[in-house]
Amino acid sequence: MILSDADILRRLEEGDLVVEPLEDLDLQVQPASIDLRLGREFLEFQRTNIPCIHPDAEWEVDEYVDETVVDEGEEFILHPGDFVLGTTKERVDIPADLLAHVQGRSSLGRLAIVVHASLPHDEEVFLWTPEDGFGFYQIGEIVENERSARAVSFDPRTLSVSTFPITDYITNPTKRIYRVTLESGREVHVTRDHNLFTLDEFGGVIRIPSEEAEGSLVMIPDSLPGPRGEETTLDLVTLFEDSDDITAYATDGFGDVKWDAVPDGSVDHYRDRGSAPLSAVSTANAPDEMEIAFKQSDARLPRSLPVTPEFGWVLGFYVAEGYARRKQICLTNRDRAFLDRAAAFFDRYDANLSWNERDNGVTTLTICSALWSKLFRSLAGAGGDKNIPDRAWNWDDDVLASLLDGLLDGDGCRRETRDTLYTANPELANRTMYLATRLGLLNSTYSRDRETYIAPSDVTNHGTEWAVDVCEDAHKRGQYVPLPSALLRELREKANLTMKEAAEAMGYSSRSSVSNVENEEYDSIKRSTLRQFRDAYADRGADVTRLDHILDGGVRFETVDSVEKTDRVEPTYDFEVQPAGRAIENFLGGRGGVFLSNTAGVVDPGYRGQITLELSNLGTAPVALTPGMRISQLIFTEMKTAAERPYGSGRGSKYQDQDGPQASRIGGDREFGGDQ
């Protein structure tokens, strides 16, 4: 549980939480955090002749680090590209039942002063924007342009998935990029200290650094939120407004037409036919009843084209098994029934169709229409880059379900337990996973090298084929959650059940079925088994709300298969998602969709002393830092039970009671011969 301002003030007054000196409670205590101020001491990293820094050689610190103490009333100038260690003015004493996170204040982030790191520029995140609705965006582009957007995030309190406004945009230091891959084929590129999400033994949300996540169950969405306002029709006037090859028709006039932009010899021709070049028509005043056609063609479509399930199916079939030329669409398949279905759709709009049946059993349906070709290419692309349209995420679920069916009927394999889409386009595989998730379907992907022999050309093509499996249920994938052992023990006690009674209530013959779970003999538990526990304890009056959140809130869990270092070292980017001070602090990104944390430094339970801050200037101008200015936020999470071995002298903790910034003491770690 994240402490609110009322919780923070109560703990401060009781004295078990210490943050001092707090000179202005009203100013420093925020809705869910405490603003910490900058201290006077800084450690600056100097250029040195040391060929490298050895983590186990603490005596080298004096050769590459200089301490600066800023006098009263003076400023510390942080130059572009500089990295320094600062400290907070306040000392903290964190009780054993609280975990604290340090985050840089957003106001300083806007000056390019940052503390932590996140994702590379080209990593895609799934967002909602006011202009385009849901879609995929590179995080670097969103951050650099500070585009107004809402992140797809889960609420830590309920695990429900919704959209929340992005409250800050952060450019972080250059760091090594790592590739995190889940067993389902989901994949995300992050810095190695960037956090993913899992559950603790009480069912609470906790962060796990990506470098430590291998083998762990981490959080992914079970479904995606629907559109904020569905697109039920395609406005072809708006879609083609900049096209020079589209003609508009209207029996009662067009509103405003820029006839001076039309060649003199063509004006009378257009007027006689009740038409005008669409590029010359003011779309703002164009009538709803207008029709459009490709130039020099009499085949017309209405301005508003209904987005129906059948339209979705035909579009999906085209993406999977079609191709487009300038004046035609070609759909090819061995199953004539699929092509008849597509033909029936185009027949409704009086499109010209032709058929070609080959001796090998393959039939091609050609839609002879430059307008339909232009529409499908505008929506879904052409060639090997065909994909689910960006605007499809704003369509109704029934339309999207039909679109998925079209993909699978076009180039898929239907089985009793699962369906599989095959494609050479990795981006189509990625978006198909998101599509399946939107529809509440389990999904996974894998790739393999494949050779394809083309007999007429006597050519063998070598390439990578992607397969996306989609199913409503699965024996293993997505069926396990991190074991909330302490929560289950607590609920059994509240239900006044012994282990034997609890086992009998669930139909088990031995109490060991319950004791093994409560004693953490396993790391995870099947969702179906957890639901048995839930039902048994609910029948006895226990409050099983948290189990309902875990089972039905909107998230699932998958195992991290690998964490691999890449050769990429580059600037990184992050979002802040803290609407009205709420600690949402996550967003959806990566291939297939993985929940990612707003990165923050951790202050362990039991820590006592000032907090060292990592400060970088990523801007192009020096920034003056004044001791006493509010520099960071401290956010507290209450744990269900106090830490048995909190940070402190009992653990040989090397930063306990620190005064001022402290350089690395990693040489004390066991990896380097130390005892910590």
Side-chain angles (χ1 to χ4, degrees):
M1 180 185 73
I2 305 294
L3 296 194
S4 68
D5 50 359
D7 298 325
I8 292 171
L9 291 171
R10 175 176 56 80
R11 299 292 292 261
L12 290 171
E13 184 176 354
E14 292 173 354
D16 63 335
L17 170 64
V18 177
V19 180
E20 58 184 18
L22 274 178
E23 298 177 353
D24 192 332
L25 281 177
D26 289 339
L27 180 65
Q28 290 184 250
V29 177
Q30 301 297 320
S33 63
I34 295 178
D35 282 349
L36 301 180
R37 295 165 298 167
L38 184 63
R40 297 171 54 206
E41 301 90 358
F42 298 87
L43 293 182
E44 299 183 73
F45 289 73
Q46 306 297 325
R47 288 183 170 82
T48 173
N49 291 325
I50 296 177
C52 66
I53 296 173
H54 299 88
D56 59 347
E58 192 171 319
W59 61 85
E60 288 183 356
V61 170
D62 291 339
E63 299 186 42
Y64 63 83
V65 173
D66 288 339
E67 182 175 19
T68 298
V69 179
V70 178
D71 293 334
E72 192 73 28
E74 297 296 324
E75 298 173 332
F76 181 87
I77 306 301
L78 189 60
H79 293 277
D82 278 0
F83 169 82
V84 301
L85 296 179
T87 184
T88 59
K89 182 175 181 179
E90 291 79 12
R91 294 178 58 84
V92 302
D93 193 341
I94 309 296
D97 66 333
L98 291 185
L99 180 71
H101 291 87
V102 183
Q103 295 183 340
R105 292 187 68 226
S106 61
S107 297
L108 283 170
R110 295 173 189 274
L111 296 176
I113 305 301
V114 299
V115 180
H116 299 286
S118 191
L119 282 66
H121 186 285
D122 60 357
E123 194 68 9
E124 283 193 336
V125 290
F126 190 64
L127 306 174
W128 182 90
T129 64
E131 303 85 5
D132 303 313
F134 282 112
F136 296 89
Y137 303 87
Q138 291 188 353
I139 188 172
E141 184 268 329
I142 294 291
V143 170
E144 290 172 352
N145 294 288
E146 296 196 3
R147 289 189 62 180
S148 176
R150 297 177 69 93
V152 175
S153 313
F154 70 88
D155 187 330
R157 298 173 301 178
T158 64
L159 303 185
S160 60
V161 178
S162 186
T163 63
F164 298 90
I166 294 173
T167 51
D168 195 26
Y169 307 83
I170 304 165
T171 303
N172 284 328
T174 295
K175 282 200 171 185
R176 172 76 63 183
I177 304 301
Y178 286 72
R179 180 173 50 252
V180 179
T181 305
L182 277 57
E183 285 188 345
S184 65
R186 286 174 168 79
E187 182 180 286
V188 65
H189 292 85
V190 295
T191 55
R192 71 174 185 176
D193 51 355
H194 193 82
N195 295 319
L196 308 176
F197 291 96
T198 188
L199 298 180
D200 63 16
E201 66 270 28
F202 291 94
V205 175
I206 57 173
R207 293 173 169 90
I208 177 171
S210 57
E211 63 181 327
E212 301 173 8
E214 195 167 300
S216 299
L217 286 167
V218 298
M219 203 174 293
I220 64 170
D222 186 38
S223 61
L224 296 177
R228 299 167 61 88
E230 294 175 357
E231 183 180 55
T232 58
T233 61
L234 291 175
D235 184 352
L236 302 189
V237 170
T238 302
L239 191 63
F240 296 143
E241 62 181 327
D242 296 325
S243 299
D244 295 328
D245 50 8
I246 299 295
T247 300
Y249 292 85
T251 56
D252 296 326
F254 296 96
D256 297 331
V257 179
K258 301 176 183 176
W259 289 112
D260 57 352
V262 180
D264 291 339
S266 301
V267 172
D268 289 341
H269 168 78
Y270 281 114
R271 282 177 166 164
D272 290 344
R273 294 166 57 88
S275 64
L278 182 60
S279 58
V281 176
S282 172
T283 57
N285 299 315
D288 294 338
E289 298 77 17
M290 195 162 67
E291 295 180 316
I292 65 167
F294 204 79
K295 187 179 293 187
Q296 298 178 345
S297 171
D298 292 328
R300 304 179 189 179
L301 287 175
R303 170 178 181 168
S304 296
L305 189 70
V307 179
T308 63
E310 200 63 10
F311 172 80
W313 183 89
V314 172
L315 187 63
F317 195 82
Y318 161 74
V319 170
E321 192 73 346
Y323 61 92
R325 298 190 177 104
R326 185 171 182 267
K327 294 188 177 183
Q328 59 186 215
I329 297 172
C330 296
L331 304 176
T332 302
N333 206 274
R334 291 181 178 274
D335 192 329
R336 177 65 183 248
F338 292 147
L339 299 177
D340 286 340
R341 181 176 177 180
F345 173 81
F346 289 109
D347 265 339
R348 298 187 196 118
Y349 295 94
D350 297 323
N352 291 323
L353 308 177
S354 69
W355 297 84
N356 179 24
E357 298 185 10
R358 304 178 202 167
D359 294 338
N360 61 3
V362 175
T363 299
T364 298
L365 167 65
T366 301
I367 299 91
C368 305
S369 169
L371 187 57
W372 278 110
S373 175
K374 185 177 182 68
L375 175 59
F376 273 40
R377 285 183 286 120
S378 297
L379 291 174
D385 294 327
K386 296 192 306 296
N387 209 334
I388 297 169
D390 289 337
R391 62 197 313 141
W393 308 106
N394 303 302
W395 295 347
D396 179 83
D397 281 358
D398 289 341
V399 177
L400 294 184
S402 293
L403 193 154
L404 179 59
D405 282 340
L407 288 169
L408 293 167
D409 290 340
D411 198 3
C413 178
R414 301 279 197 171
R415 303 179 182 88
E416 183 176 346
T417 58
R418 74 180 190 277
D419 299 324
T420 304
L421 172 71
Y422 298 101
T423 177
N425 182 358
E427 288 306 310
L428 176 57
N430 171 44
R431 295 198 181 191
T432 302
M433 293 180 75
Y434 275 88
L435 175 59
T437 300
R438 163 75 179 270
L439 297 171
L441 300 172
L442 300 176
N443 55 88
S444 61
T445 188
Y446 62 91
S447 63
R448 59 188 179 186
D449 295 332
R450 186 168 184 177
E451 294 183 355
T452 303
Y453 177 68
I454 305 174
S457 305
D458 191 26
V459 171
T460 300
N461 287 337
H462 300 267
T464 300
E465 180 182 68
W466 291 83
V468 181
D469 288 334
V470 178
C471 58
E472 292 186 4
D473 203 354
H475 175 61
K476 291 184 178 180
R477 186 147 291 145
Q479 297 303 302
Y480 288 82
V481 302
L483 178 61
S485 56
L487 174 61
L488 293 175
R489 182 186 306 111
E490 180 182 283
L491 291 176
R492 177 180 59 78
E493 292 171 351
K494 289 183 177 179
N496 293 315
L497 292 171
T498 65
M499 287 188 182
K500 183 177 180 181
E501 291 169 337
E504 291 174 349
M506 289 181 278
Y508 296 123
S509 59
S510 171
R511 67 186 294 274
S512 63
S513 301
V514 177
S515 64
N516 288 343
V517 168
E518 293 187 6
N519 295 327
E520 299 183 80
E521 294 295 326
Y522 321 107
D523 295 326
S524 61
I525 185 171
K526 287 191 71 172
R527 293 170 65 90
S528 58
T529 304
L530 188 61
R531 197 172 293 280
Q532 288 182 284
F533 277 86
R534 181 258 176 224
D535 292 344
Y537 298 157
D539 289 343
R540 294 299 186 96
D543 184 356
V544 295
T545 300
R546 190 55 178 175
L547 290 184
D548 289 337
H549 294 163
I550 295 171
L551 289 167
D552 303 312
V555 302
R556 285 185 181 265
F557 297 85
E558 285 190 358
T559 302
V560 175
D561 182 64
S562 64
V563 181
E564 302 170 289
K565 182 170 68 173
T566 73
D567 58 1
R568 298 172 60 181
V569 179
E570 55 196 78
T572 53
Y573 300 82
D574 203 353
F575 295 142
E576 176 191 85
V577 187
Q578 294 184 11
R582 294 178 61 190
I584 301 299
E585 298 175 344
N586 66 87
F587 54 90
L588 186 65
R591 185 176 70 205
V594 182
F595 283 120
L596 305 165
S597 170
N598 300 148
T599 311
V602 173
V603 183
D604 284 318
Y607 174 77
R608 185 174 61 245
Q610 291 177 307
I611 299 173
T612 293
L613 303 172
E614 304 166 3
L615 303 172
S616 299
N617 182 353
L618 302 182
T620 58
V623 176
L625 302 179
T626 304
M629 68 187 297
R630 288 178 291 154
I631 189 75
S632 62
Q633 296 172 300
L634 197 60
I635 299 169
F636 302 95
T637 301
E638 185 174 23
M639 303 188 297
K640 288 285 187 178
T641 60
E644 293 183 0
R645 298 182 64 221
Y647 197 91
S649 57
R651 299 178 61 97
S653 304
K654 51 185 176 285
Y655 299 110
Q656 188 75 314
D657 290 314
Q658 73 176 37
D659 286 307
Q662 296 293 319
S664 173
R665 294 176 177 172
I666 194 174
D669 288 359
R670 293 179 183 177
E671 298 94 313
F672 301 105
D675 58 358
Q676 298 171 27

